[in-house]
Amino acid sequence: MYIDTHTHLYEEQLNADETDMIQRAIDAGVGKMYMPNCDSSTIAAMMRIAAAWPANCYPMMGLHPCYVKDNYKDELAIAEAWLAKEKFYALGEIGLDYYWDKTHVAQQKQAFATQIDWALQHKLPIVIHSRESTQDCIDIVRGKQNGQLCGVFHCFSGTIDEAKQIIDLGFYLGIGGVVTFKKSTLPDIIKETGLQHIVLETDAPYLAPMPYRGKRNESAYLPLIAEKIGDVMQMSREEVARITTANAEKLFGC
Ligand SMILES: [Zn+2]
């Protein structure tokens, strides 16, 4: 019924009750969960979960921009080797992050471009992390868009103009718990774009939706995000689930 397009199920804060947590999500109707990778240190735990839940939990491969440091070429080589030997469902998460640290912006851009090229070679979607860097990410995607590139701007936090540019590129907007926060501008953006280009995500264990804001997030909370979007769009939670799940199937099948 629901697809969580972005959840870090392997994070340490989720280890203690991992099996129960994943089962809670499935019981809540979240039948598929897509796991973005961060760097070489997160691969083993992610692959272990993917092997334990083959019908529910799907891994991505990629180097997260916050983990692009001086050794990024070594990290990229590890990701590339994994891509060659295992099945992954996207390149992710990849992109640019200007919020935490701008020391390695040039390297971030290089790593992003390289991984987009891999996505095109492997015919995989890309899952983009764009914190305070949405327009730069859009410009890089536009430069690479040859009609074959597809993907999602995960945890979209840009303007309505940026949302429209992303949709024009054939990309999806990933919407999570932030839409439930009081001062969020996302409800207005969604009203204007409609749901045809929206997919749902939790980004667990981060960014829990209301009423769990500030607490540990988990994929079982995804229906709370659908509920809020339903309020915004004046439709039922089930209708939101139907549309966004179809979008997510298209995204990961593109
Ligand atoms: Zn993430």
Side-chain angles (χ1 to χ4, degrees), residues 6 8 36 64 93 129 154 203 206:
H6 197 107
H8 297 259
H64 187 304
E93 54 188 289
H129 172 106
H154 128 72
D203 203 16
Y206 318 106

Side-chain angles (χ1 to χ4, degrees), residues 210-229:
M210 295 294 287
Y212 302 110
R213 185 173 183 177
K215 304 215 170 74
R216 190 190 84 164
N217 196 5
E218 57 178 79
S219 288
Y221 298 161
L222 197 70
L224 293 168
I225 296 162
E227 179 100 46
K228 171 68 188 190
I229 293 174

Side-chain angles (χ1 to χ4, degrees), residues 96-99 130-135 157:
L96 305 172
D97 189 306
Y98 298 167
Y99 176 77
S130 57
R131 191 145 185 209
E132 295 190 359
S133 61
T134 307
Q135 190 59 54
S157 59

Side-chain angles (χ1 to χ4, degrees), residues 96-117:
L96 305 172
D97 189 306
Y98 298 167
Y99 176 77
W100 289 108
D101 182 5
K102 291 184 89 168
T103 314
H104 294 90
V105 166
Q107 291 91 335
Q108 287 187 30
K109 287 183 177 169
Q110 187 62 50
F112 188 28
T114 298
Q115 295 181 93
I116 293 174
D117 291 341

Side-chain angles (χ1 to χ4, degrees), residues 127-141:
V127 172
I128 300 171
H129 172 106
S130 57
R131 191 145 185 209
E132 295 190 359
S133 61
T134 307
Q135 190 59 54
D136 279 6
C137 286
I138 291 171
D139 292 342
I140 289 173
V141 167

